Amino acid sequence: MKITTVLRKTLTILLLLLFLAVLGAGTCAGLLLYWASRDLPNIKRIADYKPPQATTVLDSTGTIIGTFAHERRFVIDIKAMSRFLPMAFLASEDDSFYSHLGVDPFAIARAAINNFKKGHTGEGGSTITQQLIKQLLLTSERSYTRKMKEAILAYQLEKNLSKDDILSIYLNHIYLGEHAYGVEAAARTYFGKHASDITLAESAVIAGLPKAPSSYNPFRHPQAAKNRQRYVLGRMLELKWITKAEYDQAIAEPLVYWSMPDGQEGAASWYLEEIRRMLIEFFTEENLRALGVETRKYGEDYVYEAGLTVHTVMVPQHQEAANLAVRQGLEEVDKRQGWRGPIAKLDANGRKDFLEKSTFTPMDLAGGSWCKALVKEVSAKQAIVDLGQGYTGVIPVSKMSWARRPNPHVSGFGGNFISDARKVLNVGDLIYVKAEVEKKKTPAPKNANEQKKGEQQEPESFDPQSVGKNKAITLSLQQEPLVQGALVSIEPRSGNVVALIGGYQYGATQFNRATQAHRQPGSSFKPIVYSTALDNGFTPFSIVLDGPFSYVNPYTHEVWRPNNSERNYKGEIPLYLALALSRNTCAVRVAHQIGIDKVIARAKQLGLEPNFPQELAVSLGAVGVTPLNMTQAYAAFANQGLGVRPRMVSLIVDAEGKELYRQDVEHWQAITPQNAFIMDTMLKNAVNTGTGSRAKIEGRFIGGKTGTSNQARDAWFIGFSPYLVTGVYVGYDKVQPLGRTEQGGRTAAPIFKKYRMQVEDLYPVEDFVKPDNVTLSGNFAYQSDMPYEGNRATEGSIQENIGSDARETGEDLMRQMF
C-alpha cells in the first residue's frame, strides 16, 4: 500500500515536472517567436513587388535595337514559360512546394541528417518560399533568429499569395549568372531563345544554376553544367514527373550555348544612345508625376528599371547605309589631309610580340574590314607586310598614293601623289590595311535602256576562302580618320528620323554630332534668305548684284566686307543663279534689302532653334546649329511648305502595356506651298548645275544646298526629295580648317549620294507637286499673282549678260564654289 502511494506521488511529481517543462518550453518558444516577430518586414513588399526590369528599344520593324538595365530581367507570366521550366526548378529546389505551408520540416530534417553524415553544412532545407523571403525581405546572415523570421514570414506569405504567384516571383527574380536575372533572361543568355521555347534538357541546365551560378556556368564550365543537368533530370525522373523516355531524350540532346543578341550594335548604337539620353531627360520626377506614374525612381534609374518598351522609327536599312556612307566619306576626306604615320613603330621585341599574339585569319578582312599589319619589307613599288599566323600581304604604291605628308595649304584632290613607298612606310611600322580586289566587269548592254544605274559592274568583294599562306593578299593602306561628321535623314511627311549617325565610330566617342554639335551651316542657310525674299517682292529671275559689299554696324561702327570664297564677282545675275553658285555678296545684299529680322523670323518658322542676333552675318550661316535641326528646316521645302517636328520615338509603354507617351505627326504651315515649290525649282537647279552637282542621282528629283563655313572649318550638304530630307555635316571636333578645296560640294555632297543611292529604291520616283497660282518658266517657277518683273531675264540671255567668266562649267566651275 505504501509502495503504491509512493509510486503515485512520484508519478504525479513527474507529470507535474513534465507539464511545467512543456509549459516552460512553450512559454520560451512563444516568447522567442514573439521576440523574433516584433520587427518583421511587411510581406506586402513582396505582394506589391515590382522587380527591376530591362527597358527594350525597338526599331521600326519591331526588332530590338538594344536594352537598358541595371539588372537584366524580363518579367513574364508563369504561363508564358515552357512547362518544363517550373517543373525542373521544383524538382531541384523544392519538390513539395505545392503541399507545404511555407516551411518543409521533412526537408529540414533530411538536410540535417545529410549534413551530419557529411560532417559539414552544405545542404539546406529552405523552401522556395523561404528563399524568396531571404532574397527580398531579409539578409543572408547565418543565425537561428534569421531562420525563425524566415519561417514566420514564409508562413505569412503562403497565406497571402497563391502558390503560382510565389513561384512566378521567384522564377522572375532569381539570379542565374552572366548578368541574367530570371528565367527569361537566362533563356536568352544561355540558349538564345525565349523561356517559352526552352526544351526539357535546357530547362534542367537553367534550373541547376541557382545553387552556384558561377560554378555551373555553361559557358565557362560546360561539363559541370552537364553534371548538374543530369542531377536535375534524375530528380524529375525519381519524382515521376517525366518518363524514362523523356529522360533519355533530354540526356542525349546536344546542348548548344549561345546568347540572343541584346541589340543591333554597330550603326544602331548612335540611335540607341540618343534614345537613352532622350528618355533620361524626359522621365523626370515632375513628368512622371504628371503621367500618373507612382514610383520613387526617376531619370536613369527609372529608365533602367521600369521595363519600358520604346518604339522608335529607325529603319535598319537606312541606318546601315548612312553609317557606311559616313565612314567611307570621312575616310576619303581624311586621306586627302595626308598620312599622319603608323599606329606604332615596333622594335625587334615588339614585332616578335605582335606576331606571337596575332590571331589573324582571312575572315578578319571580310566585308571591307580592316586589320593590323606589320611592315617587314619596303621597296619603291610596294611594301610587304606580315599579318600573322603565316599570312602575308602586299601593298602596291598605288594603294598608298594618297599618303603624302600633311599640308593644309596643298589640295588633296589632284597631283602630289606618292610614287615611292619608301617615303611612306618603314620596316617595323604597325599599320591598318584593307583587302583589295579587282572589279569584275560585266558585258556591256546592247543599249542604254537595258542598263540601270549602278549595274555596270559587280561590287567589289574579298573572298577569304580564295587566299592562302602561299600567296600574299593584295592590300591598301588605311588610316583612322581624325575628321568627324554626321548624317540625319528625315521623312518630311511624318517627321520620322529614319537614320541618325553621329560620327565615324560609336564607342571611340559617344558625342553625337548629329544632335549635340552646334556648327556654322555656312551657305546651307541661304535658302532661308531666298525663301524670305520670294515673299518680299523677289522672283527667281530678279537681278541681284554680285559685287563688293560693305556694311557699317550702326551701333559698333564696325565695317563688315563679306567676300565670295574665290574672291571674284560675276556682276548682275538672277536670283536663282546666285543661289546655285552660292554667291555670298548676293545673299547678304538680299538679306539687307528685305531686312535681317524677316530672315530670322523665317528661320524660326522653319523650326530652327538658335537665338539669332540681328546681324547680317546670319544670312551666311554664321550661327551654329545642329545637323538634326538644319535638316528639319529643309523639310518644309520638301513637303509643300509644311514644317514638321522630328520624331525618333513614336510610342512608349510600361511593363504592364500601359501607354505612357505617344508622339503623333506634328505639322505646321511654315511657308506657303507656292514658296516651297519655287524654292524646290531653285534648289534642284543648285544640284543639277550648281555647287551640289556631286549629289545628283540620275532618275531622281533632288534639291539641295551646299554649305561651307569660314576657312572651310565645316562642310555641309542638305538635300531632299518629296519623301526624304538628308543632312550631312563634316568637320573636326576641335575646330580647324578641313584643308584647301574642301567644301560642301566636294566633302559632304558625296556622302549624301553614297547614302541615298542605297535607299532610293525604297521609295517610288516622285517630283515636287506644283500648287495653284504658280507658273513654270523653263526650269523655274514664279507666283502667277505676282507682277512679271521688267528686270526678269530668260535663262539664255542671262548667260550672255554675265560674261564668259560666269559660263565656266564642270570641274573648273566647281573649284570656285561653295
Side-chain angles (χ1 to χ4, degrees), residues 459-509:
E460 298 181 35
S461 60
F462 169 70
D463 181 10
Q465 305 297 325
S466 66
V467 301
K469 297 181 181 180
N470 59 339
K471 183 181 179 181
I473 303 171
T474 302
L475 304 167
S476 61
L477 179 65
Q478 300 297 323
Q479 175 174 261
E480 189 166 319
L482 288 181
V483 66
Q484 286 290 348
L487 186 151
V488 178
S489 218
I490 302 174
E491 293 181 337
R493 289 162 180 158
S494 63
N496 288 352
V497 181
V498 294
L500 183 142
I501 300 296
Y504 177 72
Q505 182 172 331
Y506 181 83
T509 173

Side-chain angles (χ1 to χ4, degrees), residues 178-240:
E178 290 289 324
H179 308 290
Y181 290 81
V183 294
E184 173 65 18
R188 298 186 187 191
T189 298
Y190 296 114
F191 296 106
K193 58 178 70 173
H194 295 288
S196 58
D197 303 320
I198 291 295
T199 65
L200 170 59
E202 294 163 342
S203 297
V205 172
I206 295 174
L209 291 168
K211 184 177 180 181
S214 180
S215 299
Y216 295 121
N217 184 318
F219 292 131
R220 301 176 187 172
H221 309 290
Q223 189 55 52
K226 181 65 180 179
N227 294 339
R228 183 66 178 166
Q229 180 216 36
R230 289 177 181 273
Y231 166 76
V232 175
L233 290 171
R235 289 285 299 134
M236 296 175 77
L237 179 63
E238 181 183 333
L239 293 165
K240 298 182 179 180

Side-chain angles (χ1 to χ4, degrees), residues 59 61 67 83 212 322 330 355 364 409 414 490 571 581 584 602 665 686 702 710 759:
D59 66 22
T61 69
T67 58
R83 67 183 183 90
L330 294 181
L355 294 175
D364 294 342
H409 303 295
I490 302 174
L581 301 184
N584 288 345
R602 175 56 48 88
V665 178
I702 294 174
N710 284 342
V759 300

